[in-house]
Amino acid sequence: MIRLRFIHLLLLIPFCSVFAQENTLSKEDAIALALKNNFGVIIAKNNLKIADNNKNILNSGYLPSLTGNAGGSFDQSNQEATFQDGSVRAIDGAETTRYNASLNLNYTLFDGLGRWYDYKRLKEEYGLSELETRETIETTMIQLYTVYFEVARLTENIKVLEDTFSNTQKRLQRSEYSFEYGQTNKLDVLNAQVDLVNDSINLMNTRQTFRNTKRDLNLLLNRDLASSFEVDTVIAFVNPISLEEFLDKGIANNVSVLQTEKNIKINDYAYKSSKSVFLPTVGLTGSYGWNEGNFPATNFLASSVSTGISAGLNLTWNLFDGGNGITQIKNAKIVLDNQETIKDQIEQQVLRDVQNAKENYLNRLQVFSLQEQNVVTNQNNFERSNEQFQLGSITSIEFRQAQINLLNAQTNKNLAKYDAKLAELQLLQLTGQLLNIEL
């Protein structure tokens, strides 16, 4: 018996001391940390930056290109030159040097509207990246809530198990006193000892699961796995009237549906851009150059220097490219049609998912309500059983059954509460409102 009491102290004292030093990690703080530190969110935000760079005017093809060229050459050779008057001049090691530098400008005035549609496509791709980032954040938040609420559920379960353990310990003490005074037999003491060990094991296992789940949450938040904290166990459900308004706009705000709409626009612009193959390209060229040459005596000129500006306008029209352009246009149109079909498919799937999520949420709310009533009933039953047990009106087995019934009712209520909240969050995610609510 002394050993059982010692085990009880080992179970409770470290746990209580840890919780006494912990800070509360609110749901809002957890969300802020996840948005700042989560690996998936960081990668999604970086991808959004890439899309932002791609839609910039610098990547549009609308700006001209300006290149600079410079060069020099040296030539040494033995030369013999015969002039018109018959004179001959021979030079060994004649040196010729040439230098040049230029700035060249190229600008496409018209390319069949290809770059116009490409530029609009890049802007739509940025919008698609925004939706992909939002989808990543929503998925991360669902993961976060799932783990956060599991920590909260285990927190409440531990308190329930501690109460059960304490009641079993008191029952063991009463059984021992009754046995010492000859009021009961040894069987009641042994039954209480067995139940105390079982309660101890349940409490230890739940605490271990609790510690593991806290590390899972720290991993999601990308912080020290050993960080210690408490969580908020208060749950508030969304106002039913607001929820109905969200459901009415479910399809319009669903991130998957919005992504398909962006993909349709992107492929529509790609299709229109592919038609630019039928139109000519008009370009403007210009350059400013400098050339200098130094020549040997065999040349008519001793040296020359020239500078000047040149400009030109050119038109290129690919009248027939073997059919590649026509094939690309046909394929782009098929891709666009596929995106329209995908949109119809996703809308149907989202309608189904929203309906299923709504019914699942309402069902879990009803289960939670019933479990709350069940806890009240089992609490009253346990209190009356405890009174009768102290009076000797019921056996320890009957008392234990009332205790187990209360434990199961309390843990089932905790599970139902967080299941209902998660079902609500999943419904809000489907209706595109997960990021717009206050928890």
Side-chain angles (χ1 to χ4, degrees):
M1 184 49 54
I2 294 177
R3 184 180 179 185
L4 287 174
R5 291 175 180 170
F6 180 69
I7 291 175
H8 171 62
L9 291 175
L10 288 179
L11 282 169
L12 292 183
I13 292 176
F15 185 79
C16 295
S17 62
V18 168
F19 268 85
Q21 300 172 0
E22 292 179 348
N23 297 320
T24 299
L25 176 67
S26 67
K27 292 183 280 290
E28 291 77 12
D29 291 339
I31 293 171
L33 286 172
L35 294 179
K36 178 182 178 182
N37 299 331
N38 182 266
F39 293 112
V41 173
I42 292 173
I43 293 173
K45 289 180 178 179
N46 286 336
N47 290 336
L48 183 61
K49 292 178 181 178
I50 293 174
D52 186 39
N53 292 334
N54 289 338
K55 75 177 181 65
N56 194 280
I57 189 67
L58 297 176
N59 192 46
S60 66
Y62 275 104
L63 300 180
S65 64
L66 183 65
T67 58
N69 295 315
S73 65
F74 171 79
D75 178 61
Q76 186 179 61
S77 61
N78 298 327
Q79 298 181 3
E80 181 177 320
T82 301
F83 296 96
Q84 293 290 339
D85 59 359
S87 61
V88 177
R89 182 175 297 175
I91 301 176
D92 293 332
E95 296 181 355
T96 302
T97 58
R98 294 183 176 87
Y99 306 98
N100 65 83
S102 65
L103 288 175
N104 303 294
L105 175 73
N106 286 281
Y107 183 61
T108 301
L109 297 175
F110 179 75
D111 69 342
L113 299 178
R115 62 181 175 180
W116 165 256
Y117 290 117
D118 286 340
Y119 186 48
K120 294 175 78 68
R121 175 178 54 82
L122 291 172
K123 287 184 175 295
E124 294 299 331
E125 287 180 351
Y126 173 76
L128 180 61
S129 294
E130 284 184 316
L131 292 172
E132 290 172 347
T133 301
R134 171 186 153 186
E135 183 180 32
T136 299
I137 292 174
E138 288 181 353
T139 302
T140 301
M141 287 181 65
I142 291 294
Q143 294 175 343
L144 173 65
Y145 289 134
T146 301
V147 181
Y148 186 95
F149 289 147
E150 181 63 10
V151 174
R153 185 184 72 85
L154 292 171
T155 299
E156 294 191 289
N157 282 358
I158 286 173
K159 294 178 181 178
V160 171
L161 290 170
E162 286 177 344
D163 290 340
T164 302
F165 185 94
S166 177
N167 289 329
T168 303
Q169 187 189 40
K170 293 176 182 178
R171 172 185 146 209
L172 176 58
Q173 292 174 343
R174 288 197 299 268
S175 298
E176 287 176 337
Y177 294 147
S178 298
F179 176 71
E180 290 176 2
Y181 289 102
Q183 295 177 352
T184 59
N185 55 34
K186 185 66 173 178
L187 182 60
D188 286 343
V189 177
L190 295 176
N191 285 335
Q193 289 178 349
V194 170
D195 291 339
L196 186 65
V197 171
N198 289 332
D199 291 345
S200 301
I201 293 172
N202 290 336
L203 185 55
M204 291 172 62
N205 289 337
T206 303
R207 286 177 180 171
Q208 183 58 50
T209 304
F210 174 74
R211 289 190 289 269
N212 293 343
T213 308
K214 288 178 70 175
R215 281 188 282 269
D216 292 339
L217 184 56
N218 282 328
L219 178 62
L220 275 174
L221 300 179
N222 188 17
R223 63 178 190 169
D224 186 2
L225 297 179
S227 296
S228 189
F229 58 89
E230 290 184 11
V231 295
D232 183 8
T233 59
V234 177
I235 293 296
F237 294 98
V238 175
N239 187 300
I241 297 177
S242 299
L243 192 60
E244 283 299 326
E245 293 177 357
F246 297 155
L247 290 172
D248 292 338
K249 303 176 182 177
I251 294 297
N253 294 324
N254 180 272
V255 68
S256 297
V257 173
L258 293 175
Q259 284 176 335
T260 60
E261 292 175 352
K262 284 294 182 183
N263 280 322
I264 288 174
K265 290 182 179 180
I266 288 170
N267 285 279
D268 182 51
Y269 287 135
Y271 170 61
K272 292 176 179 177
S273 175
S274 66
K275 291 183 177 180
S276 64
V277 70
F278 293 136
L279 298 176
T281 299
V282 180
L284 176 67
T285 61
S287 67
Y288 174 80
W290 166 79
N291 291 275
E292 178 181 338
N294 297 297
F295 310 104
T298 55
N299 199 292
F300 289 104
L301 300 176
S303 65
S304 68
V305 177
S306 64
T307 59
I309 297 175
S310 64
L313 187 68
N314 58 70
L315 181 146
T316 303
W317 199 336
N318 192 351
L319 298 178
F320 184 69
D321 63 353
N324 291 331
I326 295 175
T327 302
Q328 291 176 2
I329 292 172
K330 289 181 177 179
N331 290 339
K333 182 63 170 65
I334 294 172
V335 172
L336 178 59
D337 292 340
N338 281 342
Q339 287 298 326
E340 295 281 359
T341 303
I342 291 173
K343 179 186 177 184
D344 294 337
Q345 179 187 20
I346 289 180
E347 284 182 346
Q348 285 294 100
Q349 291 175 346
V350 170
L351 282 172
R352 178 206 60 190
D353 293 342
V354 169
Q355 189 63 33
N356 290 345
K358 176 184 176 181
E359 293 184 3
N360 185 44
Y361 169 59
L362 295 176
N363 179 70
R364 291 189 179 184
L365 272 182
Q366 292 177 350
V367 170
F368 175 50
S369 179
L370 291 173
Q371 291 292 359
E372 285 185 313
Q373 297 174 15
N374 194 34
V375 168
V376 174
T377 302
N378 279 277
Q379 183 68 46
N380 292 334
N381 179 60
F382 174 74
E383 292 174 356
R384 297 189 66 176
S385 297
N386 189 32
E387 293 173 357
Q388 293 179 1
F389 179 66
Q390 292 179 5
L391 296 174
S393 301
I394 62 173
T395 65
S396 61
I397 296 177
E398 292 172 317
F399 174 77
R400 177 62 175 177
Q401 187 59 52
Q403 186 183 34
I404 292 176
N405 290 341
L406 177 60
L407 172 64
N408 291 336
Q410 290 173 323
T411 55
N412 288 337
K413 185 208 74 172
N414 293 338
L415 178 61
K417 178 173 71 170
Y418 295 110
D419 279 350
K421 186 60 181 178
L422 285 175
E424 179 190 78
L425 294 175
Q426 289 165 355
L427 179 58
L428 290 170
Q429 181 187 19
L430 288 170
T431 56
Q433 300 297 331
L434 183 62
L435 305 181
N436 300 329
I437 61 166
E438 295 182 4
L439 294 177

